Amino acid sequence: MALAAALLLIILVSRGSRREAEPPRADTAKAMPVPEASNQAEAEIVSFLATLQERGRLVDFLMEDVTTYDDAQVGAAARVVHEGCRAALQEHFKIRSVREENEGSSVTIPVGYAADEYRLIGNIRGAGPFSGTLVHRGWKTEGVKLPRILRVNSDRLPTIAPAEVELK
């Protein structure tokens, strides 16, 4: 799950200026003035991390020391985190596998393949095509639908989740 979150953060940063601006959603509580362009990507990353926290409690789960819990407790918590984070991913990203074959299948990588879509491991010789066994199908993003993030103060990033204080 942490690897998936890190991958999403990298994807968001790498998309840079290719992103089309979207108007803010009416239901978002994050409607604030637009930050400086240099901080826009970072604000959007933090905002998506906040979405993963809100929907799946991802940050709570990752920041917790799970070594004090037994496997059944960690597994039960992971199911809740998985369900919420998966729903958030599916809502905001169009993700598909790089390869459709089953892992363990024989595949051929053509000459001129997209270098960011494949990690060749093992005995690599020549320029290709390459034949080998698919170890992992890979994932790629074909679309992103994040709301435009607006911030009041451009000298700091948005909060992932506010501290909750019950007043007496």
Side-chain angles (χ1 to χ4, degrees):
M1 189 62 71
L3 181 58
L7 179 60
L8 286 174
L9 295 177
I10 292 167
I11 291 168
L12 284 173
V13 170
S14 69
R15 68 187 174 92
S17 63
R18 293 179 298 174
R19 185 177 178 278
E20 295 178 11
E22 290 186 27
R25 291 188 344 208
D27 62 342
T28 184
K30 297 177 179 87
M32 297 172 259
V34 177
E36 297 175 18
S38 63
N39 293 328
Q40 184 70 30
E42 289 87 352
E44 291 173 357
I45 290 167
V46 173
S47 178
F48 185 68
L49 187 57
T51 300
L52 294 174
Q53 169 63 17
E54 181 182 327
R55 302 278 297 273
R57 307 289 296 227
L58 178 66
V59 177
D60 288 347
F61 182 76
L62 295 176
M63 298 303 290
E64 182 74 24
D65 177 10
V66 297
T67 60
T68 62
Y69 300 101
D70 63 39
D71 289 348
Q73 291 172 305
V74 174
R79 286 188 186 281
V80 172
V81 173
H82 178 268
E83 181 180 332
C85 291
R86 184 172 193 255
L89 275 178
Q90 290 175 332
E91 179 181 337
H92 295 289
F93 294 89
K94 182 177 180 185
I95 298 174
R96 74 171 189 88
S97 56
V98 173
R99 297 294 299 225
E100 296 301 322
E101 298 90 347
N102 291 328
E103 293 174 1
S105 298
S106 294
V107 296
T108 300
I109 311 303
V111 173
Y113 64 92
D116 67 324
E117 291 186 359
Y118 293 92
R119 178 181 304 133
L120 303 180
I121 54 178
N123 190 11
I124 304 167
R125 292 188 205 162
F130 300 103
S131 293
T133 303
L134 185 62
V135 177
H136 185 273
R137 296 183 333 156
W139 298 107
K140 64 194 229 175
T141 304
E142 292 186 330
V144 179
K145 291 188 313 185
L146 292 176
R148 183 94 175 151
I149 300 308
L150 308 169
R151 294 190 355 218
V152 170
N153 189 349
S154 64
D155 66 343
R156 70 177 190 86
L157 292 170
T159 300
I160 296 170
E164 294 179 14
V165 179
E166 182 178 346
L167 304 178
K168 297 182 183 204

